[in-house]
Amino acid sequence: MIAQIAATVYVNAAPFLIPYLHLVKGLSLVEAGFIASAPLVGTMLTFTGDVVQGREMIDRAIELSPRPPGSYFAGKALAHIGERQYDAALAAALRIDAPNWLMGHLIVASAAALAGRTDIAARESERVRELSAAGNQDLASAVQRWPIDEALAQDFRRGLAAAQVIGTQ
């Protein structure tokens, strides 16, 4: 389900971004199409463990997008977690602008805890509890099922445990 939601956001952004990149930024249609798909491809690369190339693709899309959506920063934050650049992960995560998106709050909570920002981690953990209670979700088992690179998953879960979102794994 998470993959479907992410794909919907990314796929629906491309038809609007391609003309902008082509007409305003002067990129060819091929270049514009590549950049428009870069956040999705970058996030998928991150999920498979290629966090550097994934982040670079997302960074390029952010650079060229007139108003990058918060979902771009979610992928970037996860890539930075995979790179163990926790301050950069938190900076990216704080740009996720989706107050009711559970995944966004999980990313901020994990990044904040890993960066040592217990104040932000506590705030986000409370929001995660509110959202997960509304959806009646078992977060620990949901996080275990995410199809992401094991090293990234371990770091992400370590941050969630430190933020007291899930128990220690």
Side-chain angles (χ1 to χ4, degrees), residues 31 36 97 119 149 157:
E31 292 169 319
D97 184 20
D119 55 328
D149 174 70
R157 287 191 301 262

Side-chain angles (χ1 to χ4, degrees), residues 43-125:
T43 299
M44 293 303 114
L45 285 170
T46 296
F47 283 180
T48 63
D50 192 349
V51 295
V52 173
Q53 186 170 352
R55 182 192 39 77
E56 288 172 354
M57 291 184 78
I58 296 166
D59 282 343
R60 182 77 172 128
I62 289 170
E63 174 188 322
L64 291 172
S65 179
R67 286 184 299 276
S71 55
Y72 288 22
F73 296 100
K76 181 175 179 158
L78 287 171
H80 280 306
I81 288 172
E83 294 174 297
R84 296 195 169 141
Q85 297 177 355
Y86 303 129
D87 290 334
L90 179 57
L94 289 172
R95 295 194 62 189
I96 299 170
D97 184 20
N100 295 316
W101 186 36
L102 179 60
M103 181 65 177
H105 292 285
L106 288 169
I107 293 169
V108 177
S110 181
L114 292 169
R117 290 296 308 270
T118 56
D119 55 328
I120 297 171
R123 180 190 72 215
E124 292 300 314
S125 294

Side-chain angles (χ1 to χ4, degrees), residues 12-32:
N12 289 331
F16 300 103
L17 187 56
I18 291 171
Y20 170 83
L21 293 172
H22 176 64
L23 299 172
V24 176
K25 294 288 188 174
L27 298 179
S28 72
L29 285 173
V30 171
E31 292 169 319

Side-chain angles (χ1 to χ4, degrees), residues 81 84 110 114 148-161 169:
I81 288 172
R84 296 195 169 141
S110 181
L114 292 169
I148 61 175
D149 174 70
E150 187 53 37
L152 174 58
Q154 286 177 0
D155 283 344
F156 186 64
R157 287 191 301 262
R158 187 169 51 83
L160 291 176
Q169 301 294 314

